[in-house]
């Protein structure tokens, strides 16, 4: 980082543009950003990204947890030159920030994961490829050069498919595999249920599958096996739109796909195998034998699970509530972090996901002991409003605020942060 730092560079960029009558394309403040995205998106798209489980108590708890901590700035320290970088799995990253996996991004922008990948690569911030992406990991890797990326894994009922996905992640240059443990079943999400909307049932967000040779073989076998035909309901405009959406999701000619049983079979196959509720600790040894990449477990909230994970040879943890989308009335991620850190005792990186909205949030999480954080919904809102440029702006805003918060509290490097710079106020 140069002496000016990311925060002052971002401020200068905005204020210089303001002289010529140009303001940021997307709102800088997190609440205004989400509100602008809500106005720009259709009801289904907004509900899918914004929604949480149940009455969304966990979502609110994730945010309320940050409000219980206050920063205590120190003064008269030379903070003219700051370094926001951290090292993680052999990579020097520009900040303790990654873009977390968000599925079905085609709901908010046609370029979806590709736009996010380009924005991430231009900033040096790692992108965690979603298992439920709208573009394959290979397509995203192709636009990222040697920029850092990870892969999120949903453990399918087909171990052969799991092995194929992990092998592809290695070949695509991913630095780590993040196994998402809290979504062995979909949580109870009223916003989506009220709209009768599951994007995967329309063929959206399944590009990692339709691009996979094992999955495609399973689909072809399903079609070849045939079976009793279910009575078809009377066609409706919605049903026609669904068939068109499925046809677009399957590789090949759109016209041919409209006549083919494969696109619908792909959706049915996905819905049947996407996740395995029977996964246990015993399965981790098998995964470890299938990849040389570091393995992190995402969704760990209990200290006993953190200890067990390290005993099983896991390389890192992500403390997460899945953005409040899975279990309502769960402990918040930030509240769970201290006990997980105590159980880990410095033996492996511990990242935080859920509730991060700003650079000040990043500062708080890192001061409490997180190695880095995952950002989710805010970059999706930026994508909705301005595509690649919107994602890039959100990243720059979050990193810029983190840099300024670091300096304005009297610090010049991330490793100077500790719980001593905070006070609990609630």
């Amino acid at each position: 980082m140069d002496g000016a730092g990311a925060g002052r560079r971002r401020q200068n960029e905005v204020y210089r543009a303001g002289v010529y009558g140009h303001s940021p394309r997307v709102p800088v403040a997190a609440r205004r950003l989400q509100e602008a995205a809500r106005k720009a998106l259709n009801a289904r798209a907004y509900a899918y990204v914004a929604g949480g489980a149940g009455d969304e108590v966990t979502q609110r708890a994730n945010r309320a947890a940050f409000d219980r901590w206050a920063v205590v700035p120190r003064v008269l320290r030379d903070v003219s030159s700051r370094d926001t970088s951290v090292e993680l799995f052999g990579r020097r990253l520009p900040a303790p920030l990654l873009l977390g996996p968000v599925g079905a991004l085609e709901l908010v922008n046609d370029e979806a994961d590709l736009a996010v990948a380009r924005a991430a690569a231009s900033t040096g911030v790692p992108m965690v490829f979603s298992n439920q992406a709208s573009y394959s990991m290979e397509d995203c890797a192709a636009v990222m050069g040697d920029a850092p990326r990870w892969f999120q894994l949903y453990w399918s009922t087909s171990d052969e498919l799991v092995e194929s996905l992990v092998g592809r992640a290695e070949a695509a240059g991913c630095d780590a595999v993040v196994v998402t443990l809290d979504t062995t079943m979909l949580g109870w999400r009223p916003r989506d249920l009220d709209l009768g909307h599951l994007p995967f049932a329309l063929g959206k967000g399944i590009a990692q599958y339709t691009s996979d040779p094992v999955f495609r073989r399973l689909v072809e076998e399903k079609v070849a096996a045939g079976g009793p035909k279910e009575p078809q309901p009377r066609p409706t405009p919605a049903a026609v739109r669904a068939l068109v959406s499925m046809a677009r999701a399957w590789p090949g000619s759109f016209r041919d796909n409209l006549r083919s049983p494969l696109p619908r079979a792909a959706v049915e196959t996905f819905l049947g195998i996407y996740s395995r509720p029977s996964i246990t600790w015993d399965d981790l040894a098998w995964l470890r034998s299938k990849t040389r990449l570091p393995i992190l477990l995402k969704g760990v909230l209990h200290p006993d699970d953190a200890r067990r994970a390290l005993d099983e040879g896991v390389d890192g943890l992500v403390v997460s509530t899945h953005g409040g989308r899975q279990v309502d009335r769960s402990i918040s991620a930030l509240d769970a972090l201290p006990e997980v850190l105590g159980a880990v005792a410095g033996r492996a990186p511990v990242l935080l996901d859920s509730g991060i909205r700003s650079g000040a949030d990043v500062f708080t999480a890192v001061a409490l002991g997180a190695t880095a954080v995952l950002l989710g919904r805010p970059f999706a809102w930026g994508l909705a409003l301005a595509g690649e440029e919107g994602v890039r702006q959100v990243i720059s805003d979050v990193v810029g605020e983190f840099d300024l918060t670091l300096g304005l509290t009297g610090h010049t490097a991330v490793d100077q942060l500790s719980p001593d710079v905070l006070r609990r106020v609630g």
Side-chain angles (χ1 to χ4, degrees):
M1 305 293 289
D2 62 42
R8 292 183 67 185
R9 287 198 305 274
R10 178 63 183 142
Q11 286 176 328
N12 288 341
E13 179 183 74
V14 172
Y15 292 138
R16 286 177 187 275
V19 171
Y20 297 95
H22 304 296
S23 58
R25 287 196 64 184
V26 303
V28 170
R31 291 179 184 174
R32 289 190 58 231
L33 171 64
Q34 180 169 348
E35 179 60 19
R38 184 189 67 79
K39 293 176 180 177
L41 293 171
N42 65 48
R44 285 183 162 192
Y46 181 77
Y48 180 76
V49 179
D55 198 34
E56 300 184 348
V57 175
T58 304
Q59 265 199 0
R60 295 192 293 275
N62 282 330
R63 290 301 308 148
F66 282 91
D67 293 336
R68 289 192 285 273
W69 292 99
V71 182
V72 184
R74 302 297 301 274
V75 298
L76 291 176
R77 296 177 172 183
D78 182 357
V79 294
S80 56
S81 180
R82 300 169 304 286
D83 182 2
T84 60
S85 70
V86 296
E87 186 168 320
L88 191 56
F89 297 123
R91 286 262 198 177
R92 177 58 59 172
L93 307 179
L97 179 73
L98 298 87
L99 300 187
V102 179
L105 284 172
E106 66 199 271
L107 292 173
V108 304
N109 183 278
D110 289 343
E111 291 201 308
D113 309 84
L114 287 180
V116 177
R118 288 193 293 263
S122 70
T123 61
V125 169
M127 174 186 181
V128 183
F129 294 155
S130 173
N131 205 140
Q132 306 311 132
S134 299
Y135 285 88
S136 72
M137 65 182 90
E138 291 84 3
D139 287 344
C140 290
V143 302
M144 295 188 75
D146 61 357
R149 58 265 197 176
W150 295 8
F151 175 65
Q152 173 208 31
L153 175 70
Y154 279 143
W155 203 303
S156 167
T157 58
S158 167
D159 283 348
E160 187 182 6
L161 177 58
V162 171
E163 184 175 357
S164 180
L165 288 168
V166 171
R168 289 171 58 200
E170 285 193 19
C174 293
D175 291 338
V177 173
V178 183
V179 185
T180 295
L181 301 176
D182 54 19
T183 315
T184 54
M185 297 172 282
L186 283 180
W188 186 257
R189 303 175 186 173
R191 295 201 203 200
D192 293 333
L193 290 165
D194 283 344
L195 294 169
H197 176 237
L198 181 67
F200 316 120
L202 300 173
K204 298 180 185 295
I206 63 171
Q208 305 292 20
Y209 298 82
T210 58
S211 58
D212 192 275
V214 171
F215 180 81
R216 293 185 61 160
R217 193 198 74 225
L218 294 173
V219 173
E220 290 164 359
E221 290 173 353
K222 179 179 181 66
V223 170
K229 294 200 172 183
E230 298 178 5
Q232 297 300 308
R234 187 183 214 174
T236 65
V240 172
R241 288 194 294 270
L243 290 172
V244 168
S245 180
M246 293 178 198
R248 286 178 174 150
W250 188 254
S253 162
F254 173 67
R255 180 176 293 182
D256 291 343
N257 287 346
L258 284 174
R259 302 185 181 93
S260 170
L262 291 172
R264 181 172 176 180
V267 169
E268 293 170 350
T269 302
F270 165 79
L271 293 173
I273 72 169
Y274 98 96
S275 193
R276 176 154 74 90
S278 63
I279 185 175
T280 70
W281 294 105
D282 295 336
D283 293 296
L284 292 179
W286 177 87
L287 182 62
R288 176 75 284 163
S289 73
K290 299 299 180 182
T291 180
R292 57 177 176 76
L293 295 177
I295 296 172
L296 296 91
L297 301 186
K298 181 172 179 283
V300 175
L301 294 166
H302 197 288
D304 289 348
D305 288 341
R307 292 187 191 92
R308 177 70 183 270
L310 295 191
D311 290 344
E312 297 290 344
V314 166
D315 302 290
L317 303 175
V318 182
V319 177
S320 172
T321 66
H322 209 91
R325 293 167 67 76
Q326 285 299 99
V327 177
D328 204 17
R329 301 194 180 280
S330 164
I331 184 174
S332 77
L334 194 70
D335 285 336
L337 179 64
E339 286 193 356
V340 170
L341 287 166
V344 171
R347 291 178 289 163
V350 176
L351 285 68
L352 181 91
D353 167 83
S354 302
I356 297 292
R357 296 292 180 270
S358 68
D361 294 341
V362 178
F363 181 95
T364 300
V366 173
L368 285 173
T371 307
V373 305
L374 275 63
L375 184 72
R377 289 182 177 94
F379 83 76
W381 303 140
L383 177 68
L385 292 170
E388 176 186 344
E389 183 181 337
V391 177
R392 187 181 300 109
Q393 184 194 309
V394 169
I395 295 171
S396 297
D397 291 345
V398 171
V399 174
E401 185 185 5
F402 173 72
D403 169 57
L404 290 173
T405 306
L406 189 72
L408 289 168
T409 57
H411 304 92
T412 59
V414 177
D415 62 8
Q416 296 171 3
L417 301 183
S418 73
D420 291 339
V421 310
L422 304 174
R423 295 290 183 273
R424 193 171 178 94
V425 293

